[in-house]
Amino acid sequence: MHATFPVPTAHDHWHAVDEPPIGEMGDDHDHGHGPHRHPVGHSHGGHGHSHGLVDPSIVRSRDGVRTVAISLAVLGVTAVAQVLIFTLSGSVALLADLIHNFGDALTALPLGIAFFMRSYRAEKIAGLFVVAAIFISACVALYETIQRFIHPEHLTHLWILAAAGVIGFLGNEIAAQVRLRGGRRLHSPALIADGKHARADGYVSLAVVATAIAVAAGYERADPIIGLLITLVILKITWDSWRVISTTEPGEPHSHTH
């Protein structure tokens, strides 16, 4: 008896896996390299078979670098917009915030390098670096708050400052969302911590808006009071980020924090 087999056409996805051709029984691993060929472009629609040819660490590395790059691009556009506003207002307070934001954006570089190197150890170190940067931000905010309590400063260009604060908040929040989602997707505590870092910077920018509104309404002392509240928020973010970094290893699907 001669068995007949259908000839695959351009629209067929014939594999002959359930009924392998006679003489090829037991050839489980010969996919496209021997007589047992699949049609060209073995993609199977929307659920292509990769057969494990791409190392998962390479996929994770590319995704991590891309996430860091996108968040940095967002922060870069935000900083440029704030620089333009600074040239219009000449506000020393805004200049200080700009320098702070530029410095904080650099914390993403060690993390991007760690993803590029595919090094969990480097990623862990980058996470600790991010936590340190958040804590330094809290210390700077506390210092500025104390200075404003001791030496009250009359704020000018309030509406321009408020506009810069809105731009800073939106840019940092978008960057935070990109990093947090990427951190959860890649199981990266360092990337999650950097997302919280961006969110902390967004709160600082939001405080600028609140201060401008309060001072415009006649509450001159609102500036240091709001600054103190923001300092407490950043310290809380520092603690939360430290718990994530210290209790979860890169690549782990679940955090051990409770």
Side-chain angles (χ1 to χ4, degrees):
M1 180 181 294
H2 296 283
T4 58
F5 296 90
V7 177
T9 66
H11 300 287
D12 289 330
H13 289 278
W14 176 63
H15 305 282
V17 173
D18 295 329
E19 295 181 298
I22 297 173
E24 295 183 15
M25 294 295 290
D27 188 5
D28 295 327
H29 302 286
D30 193 3
H31 287 273
H33 301 291
H36 183 194
R37 290 187 178 88
H38 288 294
V40 177
H42 180 48
S43 64
H44 306 288
H47 61 282
H49 290 333
S50 67
H51 296 292
L53 296 179
V54 181
D55 190 330
S57 68
I58 296 178
V59 176
R60 185 178 187 274
S61 171
R62 290 173 179 171
D63 195 348
V65 171
R66 183 169 58 251
T67 299
V68 171
I70 291 173
S71 65
L72 274 178
V74 171
L75 292 177
V77 171
T78 302
V80 168
Q82 286 188 321
V83 166
L84 292 176
I85 293 177
F86 166 71
T87 59
L88 295 175
S89 68
S91 168
V92 176
L94 180 55
L95 176 61
D97 191 44
L98 271 171
I99 294 173
H100 170 242
N101 285 336
F102 271 119
D104 282 352
L106 295 179
T107 61
L109 294 182
L111 189 52
I113 292 172
F115 277 120
F116 181 77
M117 294 171 57
R118 287 186 279 162
S119 170
Y120 282 156
R121 178 177 174 79
E123 192 177 329
K124 182 90 170 180
I125 293 173
L128 295 174
F129 186 73
V130 169
V131 173
I134 303 174
F135 180 70
I136 292 172
S137 296
C139 292
V140 170
L142 180 60
Y143 173 79
E144 291 292 334
T145 297
I146 293 173
Q147 287 296 107
R148 291 295 174 87
F149 270 121
I150 299 174
H151 307 291
E153 184 178 321
H154 179 68
L155 297 180
T156 57
H157 308 291
L158 296 178
W159 296 112
I160 294 178
L161 281 177
V166 169
I167 292 173
F169 170 73
L170 291 176
N172 277 292
E173 182 58 27
I174 292 172
Q177 289 289 342
V178 171
R179 291 173 179 177
L180 289 171
R181 289 176 183 175
R184 287 190 288 265
R185 184 173 65 250
L186 300 173
H187 309 305
S188 171
L191 196 51
I192 290 174
D194 212 22
K196 292 182 177 180
H197 181 205
R199 180 158 286 168
D201 286 346
Y203 289 151
V204 173
S205 297
L206 202 58
V208 172
V209 179
T211 297
I213 294 174
V215 172
Y219 299 100
E220 291 287 339
R221 282 285 184 176
D223 188 20
I225 293 173
I226 293 175
L228 183 59
L229 293 175
I230 292 300
T231 300
L232 295 176
V233 170
I234 298 176
L235 285 173
K236 175 66 165 55
I237 291 174
T238 304
W239 173 247
D240 290 343
S241 299
W242 165 250
R243 289 182 64 195
V244 170
I245 292 295
S246 62
T247 61
T248 311
E249 293 299 320
E252 286 188 354
H254 298 291
S255 171
H256 295 309
T257 56
H258 296 286

